[in-house]
Amino acid sequence: MTCCLVRPDTYRDSVELMRVAALVEKVRGVSRAALMMATPANRELLSGAGLLDATGAAAGPNDLVVAVAAVDRAAGERALAEAARLLDEQAAVSAPAGDKPVPRSIAEAASELPRANLAIISTPGAYATAEALKALKRGLHVFIFSDNVPVADEAELKRLAAKKKLLVMGPDCGTAILDGVPLGFANAVRRGSIGLVGASGTGLQEISCLIDRLGEGCSQVIGVGGHDLDERVGGLMMQAGIERLAADPGTRVIVLVSKPPAPAVARRVLDVARKSGKPVVVNFLGGDPAAILGAGAIPAATLEDAARAAVALARGKRVAAAPLAVAPKLAAAGRAKARRFRKGQSLVRGLYSGGTLCQEAALILEEAGGQKHTTVDLGDDEFTVGRPHPMIDFRLRNERILAAAEDPATAVILLDVVLGYGAHADPAGALAPAIEAATKAAAKRRRGLAIVASVCGTPADPQGLARQETRLAAAGVLLAPSNAQAARLAASLVGHRRPAQTKG
Amino acid sequence: MPAPKRKTSGGSAPLFDGGIRALNIGVAEFALSPRAHGASVLELDWRPPAGGDRDLGLLLARLEDDPDDPIGSRVAAANKQAIERILAAKPMLVDIGRAADNVKGLGPRHLLHAGPPIAWARMCGPMRGAVIGAILYEGWADTPDAADRLAAGGGVTFAPCHHFGAVGPMAGILSPSMPVFIVENAPGGTRAFAILNDGMGKVLRFGAYSQEVLDRLRWMNESLAPALARALRSRGPVDLKNLTAQALQMGDECHNRNVAATSLFARLIAPSLVRTTPADVAARVLEFLEANNHFYLNLSMAASKATMDAAHGIEGSTVVTAMARNGVEVGVRMSGTGDAWFTAPAPIPDGLYFPGYGPADANPDLGDSAITETAGLGGLAMAAAPAIVRFIGGAAEEAIATTKRMYTITLARNNDFGIPALGFAGTPTGIDARRVVDSGVQPVFNTGIAHREAGVGQIGAGIAKAPLACFAGALRELGRRLKVPA
């Protein structure tokens, strides 16, 4: 039998129509197929071939007619449907591959990467808001590495994200490990059952690396940005992060890290933490543990304490009350250096590349009491204008190390060395010459000088933890296994002999 | 495609269903470690949107589609409607008649011109030449000097063709007694007009007004137009969409190359022409068509105008509905910003010149013909017309690259207009002012180049680009209309 389909006012080239006809003829039960513009001549042709029914006969010269001869109506309809599909497909076919322009906008890129789900934004801060907004509107999670994004913009973005159940990670906190994929500055941490949410980049790096070193791993590491717990932002993304980890069957323990938030924000965040139904370890750098305890969470005084508590909980063990003592061998090596200090050498100079690590050291030194030690975060905006971050470029830090060594009051130079993706390919190699020169300069003036450092990294990091530690040790650096221990060791060397006894 | 293997020792549920598919915007290095860990990362060739204007960039972001946001959803719905109307358009050549009898609102001393509004004092040389020619043709003055004085003294009312549903190539001068094509787009309820193309060489649209030019215009009025009108009435309306579709597959882009379309039109009209017109006149009409490869241009323009007017005036829409040049400024109209023009200085086209001429002789870009680009033809359909690729550098690949680039600033593909070289992909359709400003990719016009002095005529052809400032202005106005927070 004969079936026709008419597409009114549709023009297609005859070669294309013949191609489609050949494909339609392959449909089971179809003996012949023809697609033509229904000009009088073509209608005659179809009629002569016995392919024109009443529908087809009524078509005009601007109409496209599909005609098939099939064994039965079902086969005919299958064929007509196939023809319609091929006509639409043909029209929708994309341009041949190759020399496709590189997308310039999110809209363009999103259409090219189907089901894109994340935007990584590292534009200058002035443009980051608009890009993030466009990404969120398209349903993408956003990771903002950019700094100098106004807090009001951040609040707007995060309100929108919260509404859309999306994450905005950052700005001003370039660290995340999502589903095992590191973003920004992050370490090669093994996967495991501990989920981290933090407003602090190096805080997350330190905790995740220590968890790795203690033999456990991380489910997700979500950096929410340095201002997330600001009152204007209200901890929106930390709450969202906790909720995600709460819902994640692979996460057994949750760790939160941030500067102390405003009480109202802390209440909201801790409330969500309580509702997670999972053990939550909280390090609000130097904050009051009362509210944390009140919410049923476990306060940790340092990043190391947070890592240890999380590991213990993940293993179903009790959380130790006191921080670890500095290892006897390291303490002895420190004492040997300290014996060479001259009168007046009483200060610790912390020269940091990680803001949170710097702040933690400052707190520990302050707590150890007594003197006016100094700690500087060289990654702070005031130092990074017009130059790369000190985790990448060591020139500024090396200058500062040499200057500190020249100061007769300096007894200890305290450093962080951050490994991982995004960091310098060989931080130890970049630091060692300055450390050696500083040691030599002090010796020339018959002063002792202790350089104390900790390496934030894992054996799997591209720089290699062991290789980095070996190089630093060869330069005479006293290497502590964590930043907190390094700071305590430093404090003990200038006379506050309480390397392990800060309150837990 | 199977999901990439990843270590899942923790048994964690993925945050990202099926893996991370990321867009990297900014520093290229940030793509490296996610990619090394199995994420698919697409790198953007990012540059600050809106030429680095932060506020405009933010406005752009706020105007982006978003079903959850009142502004974003309104813009999305408005654009969807605009695109539907463009794709549904069915422009038909229904008649040819006197402008005064058909163009609504056209007064007895009106002269319409190409591009956004412009007063005599600021008109470029070719437009002034065409005005003088039209005044002489209408008999409002006897000499070019007298015509000049009349125009300068306010004896003529000037207005853009676009304000009357009309479009004119180059100077685009349309006077009351000229014959016009009448194109109807029944689905959109729109009607558009264009004068008949006056041929090659010294012609009115390039500012020439010699006796030869005026004689030709009179012949067109007295013989050509009536003959074509009779033929048309005898055979019935001509489906211009269908004709354009065929021409695109024959190597025209229906702006700067119309040889296939003109031939198709001639073939189509010839039988009824010889049946309704004395043989000698019919022969002259066909000779005129034979000698004028651009005859179809004005039909293409009127069809494009009827199509784009159907999409105009939809509140919230960022679809560009007109782009036009008056030889001094480029003007853009956007669907959601009513009848306002957003203008910027017209560029000198980048192109090839006839022997003896160069860029120093060129007038800034001119004509309503960019209505074809607005409708997805011309420069946007460049891949259909490799024969004129010399104008953009020479290689056929560049024609294809141009059209591919234009897909990035348009919202749809017009599947009725397939481009063979692109696997019959439809032409890029519905220029989105947001995409233009966001990416900095400017719509490309294929264009003729007029001598800057009146009367010399065409001296070359090439391409020009629509200035970004026009689209930026339109978006700012839309922002005000939609009360987008600053």
Side-chain angles (χ1 to χ4, degrees), chain B residues 25-85:
Chain B
I25 304 136
V27 183
E29 279 70 23
F30 283 108
L32 299 179
S33 58
R35 198 175 276 150
H37 286 77
S40 22
V41 187
L42 180 64
E43 199 73 51
L44 266 69
D45 176 15
W46 186 86
R47 56 206 74 194
D53 180 332
R54 181 184 188 272
D55 294 341
L56 179 57
L58 258 180
L59 169 64
L60 198 63
R62 297 193 196 289
L63 291 172
E64 280 295 321
D65 293 4
D66 184 353
D68 301 332
D69 168 68
I71 291 163
S73 55
R74 190 167 181 184
V75 172
N79 283 344
K80 186 167 173 277
Q81 194 181 12
I83 292 299
E84 280 166 5
R85 292 194 190 170

Coordinates of all heavy atoms in Angstrom, one line a residue, chain B residues 25-85:
Chain B
I25 N 37.6 29.2 33.5 CA 37.5 30.6 33.1 C 38.6 31.4 33.8 O 38.5 31.6 35.0 CB 36.1 31.1 33.5 CG1 35.0 30.2 32.9 CG2 35.9 32.6 33.1 CD1 33.9 29.9 33.8
G26 N 39.6 31.7 33.0 CA 40.7 32.5 33.6 C 42.0 31.8 33.4 O 42.4 31.5 32.2
V27 N 42.8 31.6 34.5 CA 44.1 31.0 34.4 C 44.1 29.6 33.8 O 43.5 28.7 34.4 CB 44.8 31.1 35.7 CG1 46.3 30.6 35.6 CG2 44.8 32.5 36.3
A28 N 44.8 29.3 32.8 CA 44.8 28.0 32.1 C 45.3 26.9 33.0 O 44.8 25.8 33.0 CB 45.6 28.1 30.8
E29 N 46.2 27.2 33.9 CA 46.9 26.2 34.8 C 45.8 25.5 35.6 O 46.0 24.3 36.0 CB 48.0 26.8 35.6 CG 49.3 27.0 34.9 CD 49.3 28.1 33.9 OE1 48.4 29.0 34.0 OE2 50.1 28.0 33.0
F30 N 44.7 26.2 36.0 CA 43.8 25.6 36.9 C 43.0 24.4 36.2 O 42.3 23.7 36.9 CB 42.8 26.6 37.4 CG 43.4 27.5 38.4 CD1 43.7 28.8 38.2 CD2 43.7 27.0 39.7 CE1 44.3 29.6 39.2 CE2 44.3 27.7 40.7 CZ 44.6 29.1 40.4
A31 N 43.2 24.2 34.9 CA 42.6 23.1 34.3 C 43.4 21.8 34.5 O 42.9 20.7 34.3 CB 42.4 23.4 32.8
L32 N 44.7 22.0 34.8 CA 45.6 20.9 34.7 C 45.3 19.8 35.7 O 45.1 18.6 35.3 CB 47.1 21.3 34.8 CG 47.5 22.4 33.7 CD1 48.9 22.8 34.0 CD2 47.3 21.7 32.4
S33 N 45.3 20.1 37.0 CA 45.1 19.0 38.0 C 43.8 18.4 37.9 O 43.7 17.1 38.0 CB 45.6 19.4 39.4 OG 44.9 20.5 39.8
P34 N 42.7 19.1 37.8 CA 41.4 18.4 37.6 C 41.4 17.5 36.4 O 40.9 16.4 36.5 CB 40.4 19.6 37.4 CG 41.0 20.8 37.8 CD 42.5 20.6 37.8
R35 N 42.0 18.0 35.3 CA 42.0 17.1 34.1 C 42.8 15.9 34.4 O 42.4 14.8 34.0 CB 42.6 17.9 33.0 CG 42.2 17.4 31.6 CD 42.7 18.3 30.5 NE 41.8 19.3 30.2 CZ 42.2 20.5 29.7 NH1 43.5 20.8 29.6 NH2 41.3 21.5 29.5
A36 N 43.9 16.0 35.1 CA 44.8 14.9 35.4 C 44.1 13.9 36.3 O 44.5 12.7 36.3 CB 46.1 15.3 36.0
H37 N 43.0 14.3 37.0 CA 42.3 13.4 37.8 C 41.0 13.0 37.2 O 40.0 12.6 38.0 CB 42.1 14.1 39.2 CG 43.4 14.1 40.0 ND1 44.4 15.0 39.8 CD2 43.8 13.3 41.0 CE1 45.4 14.8 40.6 NE2 45.0 13.8 41.4
G38 N 40.9 13.1 35.9 CA 39.7 12.5 35.3 C 38.5 13.4 35.0 O 37.5 13.0 34.5
A39 N 38.7 14.7 35.4 CA 37.5 15.6 35.1 C 37.7 16.0 33.7 O 38.8 16.2 33.2 CB 37.6 16.8 36.1
S40 N 36.5 16.2 33.0 CA 36.6 16.9 31.7 C 36.6 18.4 31.9 O 35.7 18.9 32.6 CB 35.6 16.4 30.7 OG 34.5 15.9 31.4
V41 N 37.6 19.1 31.4 CA 37.7 20.5 31.6 C 37.7 21.2 30.2 O 38.5 20.8 29.4 CB 38.9 20.9 32.4 CG1 38.9 22.4 32.7 CG2 39.0 20.1 33.7
L42 N 36.8 22.1 30.0 CA 36.8 22.9 28.8 C 37.4 24.3 29.1 O 36.9 25.0 29.9 CB 35.4 23.0 28.2 CG 35.2 23.8 26.9 CD1 36.0 23.1 25.7 CD2 33.7 23.9 26.5
E43 N 38.4 24.6 28.3 CA 39.1 25.9 28.5 C 38.3 27.0 27.7 O 38.0 26.8 26.6 CB 40.5 25.7 27.9 CG 41.5 26.7 28.3 CD 41.9 26.4 29.7 OE1 42.3 25.2 30.0 OE2 41.9 27.3 30.5
L44 N 38.1 28.1 28.4 CA 37.5 29.3 27.7 C 38.6 30.2 27.2 O 39.6 30.4 27.9 CB 36.6 30.1 28.6 CG 35.1 29.7 28.5 CD1 34.9 28.3 29.1 CD2 34.3 30.7 29.2
D45 N 38.4 30.7 26.0 CA 39.3 31.8 25.6 C 38.7 33.1 26.2 O 38.1 33.9 25.5 CB 39.3 31.8 24.1 CG 40.1 33.0 23.5 OD1 40.9 33.6 24.3 OD2 40.0 33.3 22.3
W46 N 38.8 33.2 27.5 CA 38.1 34.3 28.2 C 38.8 35.6 28.1 O 40.0 35.7 28.1 CB 37.9 33.9 29.7 CG 37.1 34.8 30.4 CD1 35.7 34.8 30.6 CD2 37.5 35.9 31.2 NE1 35.3 35.8 31.3 CE2 36.4 36.5 31.7 CE3 38.8 36.5 31.5 CZ2 36.4 37.7 32.5 CZ3 38.8 37.7 32.2 CH2 37.6 38.2 32.8
R47 N 38.0 36.6 28.0 CA 38.5 38.0 28.1 C 37.4 38.8 28.8 O 36.2 38.4 28.8 CB 38.8 38.6 26.7 CG 37.6 38.6 25.8 CD 38.1 38.6 24.3 NE 38.6 37.3 24.0 CZ 39.3 37.0 22.8 NH1 39.5 38.0 22.0 NH2 39.7 35.8 22.6
P48 N 37.7 39.9 29.5 CA 36.7 40.6 30.2 C 35.5 40.9 29.3 O 35.7 41.5 28.3 CB 37.4 41.8 30.7 CG 38.9 41.4 30.8 CD 39.1 40.5 29.6
P49 N 34.3 40.5 29.7 CA 33.2 40.8 28.8 C 32.9 42.3 28.8 O 33.4 43.1 29.7 CB 32.0 40.1 29.5 CG 32.6 39.2 30.5 CD 33.9 39.8 30.9
A50 N 32.1 42.7 27.8 CA 31.7 44.1 27.7 C 32.9 45.0 27.6 O 32.8 46.1 28.2 CB 30.8 44.5 28.9
G51 N 34.0 44.6 27.0 CA 35.1 45.4 26.9 C 35.7 45.8 28.2 O 36.4 46.8 28.3
G52 N 35.5 45.0 29.3 CA 36.0 45.3 30.6 C 35.2 46.2 31.4 O 35.6 46.6 32.5
D53 N 34.0 46.6 30.9 CA 33.1 47.4 31.7 C 32.4 46.5 32.8 O 31.5 45.7 32.4 CB 32.1 48.1 30.8 CG 31.1 49.0 31.5 OD1 30.8 48.7 32.7 OD2 30.5 49.9 30.9
R54 N 32.9 46.6 34.0 CA 32.4 45.7 35.1 C 30.9 45.8 35.2 O 30.2 44.8 35.4 CB 33.1 46.0 36.4 CG 32.7 45.1 37.5 CD 33.3 45.5 38.8 NE 33.0 44.5 39.8 CZ 31.9 44.5 40.6 NH1 31.1 45.4 40.5 NH2 31.7 43.5 41.5
D55 N 30.3 47.0 35.3 CA 28.9 47.1 35.5 C 28.1 46.5 34.4 O 27.1 45.9 34.6 CB 28.6 48.6 35.7 CG 29.2 49.2 37.0 OD1 29.6 48.4 37.8 OD2 29.3 50.4 37.1
L56 N 28.5 46.8 33.2 CA 27.8 46.2 32.0 C 27.9 44.7 32.0 O 27.0 44.0 31.8 CB 28.4 46.8 30.7 CG 27.7 46.3 29.4 CD1 26.2 46.5 29.4 CD2 28.4 47.0 28.2
G57 N 29.1 44.2 32.4 CA 29.3 42.8 32.5 C 28.3 42.2 33.5 O 27.8 41.1 33.3
L58 N 28.1 42.9 34.6 CA 27.2 42.4 35.7 C 25.8 42.4 35.2 O 25.0 41.5 35.4 CB 27.3 43.2 36.9 CG 28.1 42.7 38.1 CD1 28.2 43.6 39.2 CD2 27.5 41.3 38.5
L59 N 25.4 43.5 34.5 CA 24.1 43.6 33.9 C 23.8 42.4 33.0 O 22.8 41.8 33.0 CB 23.9 44.9 33.2 CG 22.7 45.1 32.3 CD1 21.4 45.0 33.2 CD2 22.7 46.4 31.5
L60 N 24.8 42.1 32.2 CA 24.7 41.0 31.2 C 24.4 39.7 32.0 O 23.6 38.9 31.6 CB 26.1 40.9 30.6 CG 26.3 40.2 29.3 CD1 25.5 40.8 28.2 CD2 27.8 40.2 28.9
A61 N 25.1 39.5 33.1 CA 24.9 38.3 33.9 C 23.5 38.3 34.4 O 22.9 37.2 34.5 CB 26.0 38.2 35.0
R62 N 23.0 39.4 34.9 CA 21.7 39.5 35.4 C 20.6 39.2 34.4 O 19.5 38.8 34.7 CB 21.4 40.8 36.1 CG 22.4 41.0 37.3 CD 21.9 42.2 38.2 NE 22.9 42.6 39.1 CZ 23.4 41.9 40.1 NH1 22.9 40.8 40.4 NH2 24.4 42.4 40.9
L63 N 21.0 39.5 33.1 CA 20.0 39.3 32.0 C 20.0 37.9 31.5 O 19.3 37.5 30.6 CB 20.2 40.3 30.9 CG 19.9 41.8 31.2 CD1 20.4 42.7 30.0 CD2 18.4 42.0 31.4
E64 N 21.0 37.1 32.0 CA 21.1 35.7 31.5 C 19.8 34.9 31.8 O 19.2 35.2 32.8 CB 22.3 35.0 32.1 CG 23.6 35.4 31.4 CD 23.7 34.9 30.0 OE1 23.2 33.8 29.7 OE2 24.2 35.6 29.1
D65 N 19.5 33.9 31.0 CA 18.4 33.0 31.2 C 18.5 32.4 32.6 O 19.6 32.0 33.0 CB 18.4 31.9 30.2 CG 18.2 32.3 28.8 OD1 18.0 33.5 28.6 OD2 18.1 31.5 27.9
D66 N 17.4 32.4 33.3 CA 17.4 31.7 34.6 C 16.0 31.4 35.0 O 15.2 32.3 35.3 CB 18.1 32.5 35.7 CG 18.2 31.8 37.0 OD1 17.6 30.7 37.2 OD2 18.8 32.4 37.9
P67 N 15.6 30.2 34.9 CA 14.2 29.9 35.2 C 13.7 30.3 36.6 O 12.5 30.4 36.9 CB 14.1 28.3 35.0 CG 15.5 27.9 35.0 CD 16.3 29.0 34.6
D68 N 14.7 30.4 37.5 CA 14.4 30.7 38.9 C 14.3 32.2 39.3 O 14.1 32.6 40.4 CB 15.4 30.0 39.9 CG 15.5 28.5 39.7 OD1 14.4 28.0 39.3 OD2 16.5 28.0 40.0
D69 N 14.6 33.0 38.2 CA 14.7 34.4 38.5 C 13.7 35.2 37.6 O 13.6 34.9 36.5 CB 16.2 34.8 38.2 CG 16.4 36.3 38.1 OD1 16.3 36.9 39.2 OD2 16.7 36.8 37.1
P70 N 13.0 36.2 38.2 CA 12.0 36.9 37.4 C 12.6 37.5 36.1 O 11.9 37.5 35.1 CB 11.4 37.9 38.4 CG 12.3 37.9 39.6 CD 13.1 36.6 39.6
I71 N 13.7 38.1 36.3 CA 14.3 38.8 35.1 C 14.8 37.7 34.1 O 14.5 37.7 32.9 CB 15.4 39.7 35.5 CG1 14.8 40.9 36.2 CG2 16.2 40.2 34.2 CD1 15.8 41.7 37.0
G72 N 15.6 36.8 34.6 CA 16.2 35.7 33.7 C 15.1 34.9 33.0 O 15.3 34.5 31.9
S73 N 14.0 34.6 33.7 CA 13.0 33.8 33.1 C 12.2 34.7 32.0 O 11.8 34.1 31.0 CB 12.0 33.2 34.1 OG 11.5 34.3 34.9
R74 N 12.0 35.9 32.3 CA 11.3 36.8 31.4 C 12.1 37.0 30.1 O 11.6 36.9 29.0 CB 11.2 38.2 32.1 CG 10.3 39.1 31.3 CD 10.0 40.2 32.3 NE 9.2 41.2 31.8 CZ 8.9 42.3 32.5 NH1 9.4 42.5 33.6 NH2 8.1 43.2 32.0
V75 N 13.4 37.2 30.2 CA 14.3 37.3 29.0 C 14.2 36.0 28.2 O 14.1 36.0 27.0 CB 15.7 37.7 29.4 CG1 16.6 37.7 28.2 CG2 15.7 39.1 30.1
A76 N 14.4 34.9 28.9 CA 14.4 33.6 28.2 C 13.1 33.4 27.5 O 13.1 33.0 26.3 CB 14.6 32.5 29.2
A77 N 11.9 33.7 28.1 CA 10.7 33.5 27.5 C 10.5 34.4 26.3 O 10.0 34.0 25.2 CB 9.5 33.7 28.5
A78 N 10.9 35.7 26.5 CA 10.8 36.7 25.4 C 11.6 36.2 24.2 O 11.2 36.3 23.0 CB 11.2 38.0 25.9
N79 N 12.8 35.8 24.4 CA 13.7 35.4 23.3 C 13.1 34.1 22.6 O 13.2 34.0 21.4 CB 15.1 35.1 23.8 CG 15.9 36.4 24.0 OD1 15.5 37.4 23.5 ND2 16.9 36.3 24.8
K80 N 12.6 33.2 23.4 CA 12.0 32.0 22.8 C 10.9 32.4 21.8 O 10.8 31.9 20.7 CB 11.4 31.1 23.9 CG 10.9 29.8 23.5 CD 10.7 28.9 24.7 CE 10.0 27.6 24.3 NZ 8.6 27.7 24.1
Q81 N 10.1 33.4 22.3 CA 9.0 33.8 21.4 C 9.5 34.5 20.2 O 9.0 34.3 19.0 CB 8.1 34.8 22.2 CG 6.8 35.1 21.5 CD 6.0 36.1 22.3 OE1 6.5 36.7 23.3 NE2 4.7 36.2 22.0
A82 N 10.6 35.3 20.3 CA 11.2 36.0 19.2 C 11.7 35.0 18.2 O 11.4 35.1 17.0 CB 12.3 36.9 19.7
I83 N 12.4 34.0 18.7 CA 12.9 33.0 17.7 C 11.8 32.2 17.0 O 11.9 32.0 15.8 CB 13.8 32.0 18.5 CG1 15.1 32.7 19.0 CG2 14.2 30.8 17.7 CD1 15.9 33.3 18.0
E84 N 10.8 31.9 17.8 CA 9.6 31.2 17.1 C 9.1 32.0 16.0 O 8.7 31.5 14.9 CB 8.5 30.9 18.2 CG 8.9 29.7 19.0 CD 8.0 29.5 20.3 OE1 7.1 30.4 20.4 OE2 8.3 28.7 21.1
R85 N 8.9 33.3 16.2 CA 8.4 34.2 15.2 C 9.3 34.3 14.0 O 8.8 34.4 12.8 CB 8.1 35.5 15.7 CG 6.9 35.5 16.8 CD 6.4 36.9 17.1 NE 5.5 36.9 18.2 CZ 5.1 38.0 18.8 NH1 5.5 39.2 18.3 NH2 4.3 38.0 19.8

